[in-house]
Amino acid sequence: MSGLIVRGARLLGGETGDIRIVDGRIDAVGSVDPAAGDHMIDADGLVALPGLVDLHTHLREPGGEASETVLTGTRAAAAGGFTAVFAMANTSPVADTAGVVEQVEALGRQHGYATVRPIGAVTVGLEGRQLAELGAMAASRAQVRVFSDDGHCVADPLIMRRALEYVATIGGVIAQHAQEPRLTEGAQMNEGPLSGELGLAGWPAVAEESIIARDVLLAEHTRSRLHVCHVSTAGSVDVVRWAKKRGIAVTAEVTPHHLLLTDETARDYDARFKVNPPLRRAEDVEALRAAVADGTIDIVATDHAPHPDERKECAWAEAAFGMVGLESALSIVQHTLVDTGMLDWAGVARVLSTTPAAIGGLAGYDAPLAVGAPAHLTLVDPEASRRWSTDELRGRSRNTPYTGITLPGRVIATVHGGVPTVLDGALVDADTVATTAGGR
């Protein structure tokens, strides 16, 4: 049967080799002789990564289709090299039942640009009062294993304890948005001298750090798994590092924007830079980069948060929190971690593919690019660069914070389950992807 051959890519071991894909799986790696009918991708000078996995994406559907849909969000994901995304629960209706998570998962299968794994809400309506249908969501076709009220902190310690106890019985994990609500009422940006100068209510670092400290102790007590979303402060890194040394089952993520941008961006009151948790000090950025390099922070996750123009092109205090980030994530990781010598490309594969897949219980990424493995593949040109603009975006919203910044690297091809979704740097036609993926 005809296959797809990636010719002459840079493999993660440092050698150059070919990859042959047949029937959605890796058929051969090394020096590959083409067979009749094989299609060819010239990968000379390109780095071959396992398909990227984002553990923290907001696809907005159902209910928020003005900002994003499963189709537009997964097209943005494919353009950024992602072959799987975990969709957060803050939709309308909230993804707190088996019916809603199955709807989201089915839309991902229908469109074919990326595997979509729904994240189930921890509490009904994200209200923090009553546990949602965790067992029903886990047993559904969506097979939910990650639960989060992201956008809201599970602030009640008893509810958090019960959630941790429950997911321990189903092999799941609670992904916590660490924000003590009473300490952040009305908060608009990082608390510090600059927030006082600008007259914006401050979001103190301790509001994040205190919740993480509480929750790692609860995870230890319940012998359950905790994942900390979008870590943003040096103090949070210290707490996570302490917990790991103690043997607590905690993992943590950082966003690309927290690896690059600081609270100084707020000086012009440009709401593109308004995000939760807020952009922090330069010292925090350095601590976060070091924590990714030494493994304290396990993964990079985008927290892709699309909003229509009217929610961001307004006064800072009225603007929505959030940034889009799927298309730019790999470039930011290259810029902040690879080009600085803190990570090699094997490290990129670890923080953007294999580890997020493992945390989320996503099969097929434990032995990436090995013979017999599912063919999820990203080809990136590390020597390319471009001045970032909204023209680079493939989703429905335009709220990127990187406009005007020159970023390195470019995704040349993305292959999802053997089906090319990006070729020569351009998205493959939606009908072609859906038809081919549906025939897998």
Side-chain angles (χ1 to χ4, degrees):
M1 195 168 191
S2 62
L4 175 68
I5 293 180
V6 176
R7 177 71 80 195
R10 288 169 50 188
L11 305 178
L12 294 180
E15 72 278 20
T16 298
D18 308 329
I19 302 169
R20 186 167 190 259
I21 298 167
V22 177
D23 292 336
R25 292 190 173 270
I26 305 293
D27 181 67
V29 179
S31 180
V32 176
D33 293 326
D38 280 348
H39 301 281
M40 200 79 63
I41 296 177
D42 180 4
D44 182 37
L46 307 183
V47 175
L49 295 170
L52 308 186
V53 177
D54 187 19
L55 198 66
H56 192 149
T57 304
H58 296 272
L59 294 180
R60 303 300 191 205
E61 190 175 10
E65 290 85 355
S67 301
E68 197 75 283
T69 66
V70 173
L71 174 59
T72 61
T74 53
R75 282 168 62 87
F82 289 91
T83 56
V85 297
F86 284 72
M88 276 294 176
N90 58 339
T91 51
S92 181
V94 171
D96 57 6
T97 66
V100 177
V101 296
E102 286 182 343
Q103 175 189 356
V104 174
E105 188 269 343
L107 285 168
R109 280 189 289 107
Q110 173 187 333
H111 298 311
Y113 276 96
T115 299
V116 176
R117 291 292 300 273
I119 292 175
V122 176
T123 66
V124 174
L126 309 178
E127 295 177 350
R129 299 186 184 126
Q130 176 185 350
L131 287 183
E133 299 176 4
L134 308 187
M137 288 187 281
S140 72
R141 177 167 182 165
Q143 297 182 317
V144 175
R145 290 297 180 272
V146 183
F147 299 89
S148 181
D149 278 2
D150 184 64
H152 302 270
C153 179
V154 182
D156 186 315
L158 181 58
I159 294 289
M160 187 62 176
R161 173 185 175 173
R162 297 303 183 219
L164 287 165
E165 288 173 336
Y166 197 100
V167 298
T169 68
I170 58 176
V173 60
I174 299 295
Q176 174 69 296
H177 175 114
Q179 177 184 359
E180 212 298 320
R182 292 299 302 279
L183 291 175
T184 55
E185 291 178 1
Q188 295 289 315
M189 66 169 294
N190 180 55
E191 182 180 278
L194 185 57
S195 63
E197 179 183 337
L198 298 179
L200 295 174
W203 200 121
V206 71
E208 175 175 301
E209 296 155 9
S210 60
I211 292 294
I212 298 173
R214 182 201 75 177
D215 287 350
V216 294
L217 292 174
L218 285 173
E220 181 179 45
H221 179 74
T222 58
R223 299 183 180 179
S224 188
R225 293 170 56 212
L226 170 71
H227 179 74
V228 185
C229 296
H230 41 50
V231 169
S232 69
T233 77
S236 294
V237 169
D238 290 339
V239 175
V240 172
R241 185 176 286 120
W242 173 86
K244 288 190 169 190
K245 287 180 179 177
R246 193 174 171 90
I248 298 171
V250 58
T251 53
E253 73 188 33
V254 65
T255 70
H257 47 271
H258 285 111
L259 290 171
L260 179 65
L261 305 172
T262 72
D263 57 357
E264 285 292 324
T265 57
R267 281 195 178 277
D268 294 330
Y269 299 96
D270 185 340
R272 289 181 303 134
F273 301 103
K274 184 178 180 181
V275 66
N276 185 342
L279 301 174
R280 303 290 191 179
R281 309 166 302 161
E283 302 96 300
D284 295 304
V285 170
E286 293 304 317
L288 294 169
R289 293 184 185 184
V292 175
D294 70 21
T296 300
I297 291 177
D298 301 83
I299 67 170
V300 177
T302 70
D303 194 6
H304 175 80
H307 294 289
D309 291 346
E310 62 269 20
R311 296 296 312 282
K312 296 297 275 187
E313 295 177 359
C314 57
W316 181 286
E318 282 74 47
F321 291 96
M323 307 166 170
V324 295
L326 285 165
E327 299 96 334
S328 52
L330 184 56
S331 287
I332 299 298
V333 168
Q334 179 180 338
H335 179 58
T336 59
L337 296 170
V338 178
D339 291 350
T340 57
M342 302 182 82
L343 279 186
D344 58 13
W345 286 104
V348 173
R350 171 175 57 82
V351 302
L352 275 173
S353 181
T354 56
T355 305
I359 293 169
L362 182 64
Y365 289 81
D366 52 339
L369 308 187
V371 173
H376 306 308
L377 176 67
T378 301
L379 298 175
V380 58
D381 181 358
E383 302 304 322
S385 66
R386 58 260 170 89
R387 187 175 175 84
W388 198 259
S389 74
T390 55
D391 292 341
E392 304 290 343
L393 303 178
R394 296 294 177 266
R396 181 159 284 184
S397 296
R398 295 288 175 263
N399 53 309
T400 173
Y402 306 117
T403 302
I405 299 176
T406 298
L407 295 176
R410 189 176 190 89
V411 172
I412 303 301
T414 307
V415 179
H416 171 232
V419 177
T421 56
V422 173
L423 287 173
D424 297 322
L427 284 165
V428 175
D429 176 78
D431 290 338
T432 300
V433 170
T435 301
T436 310
R440 282 201 299 257

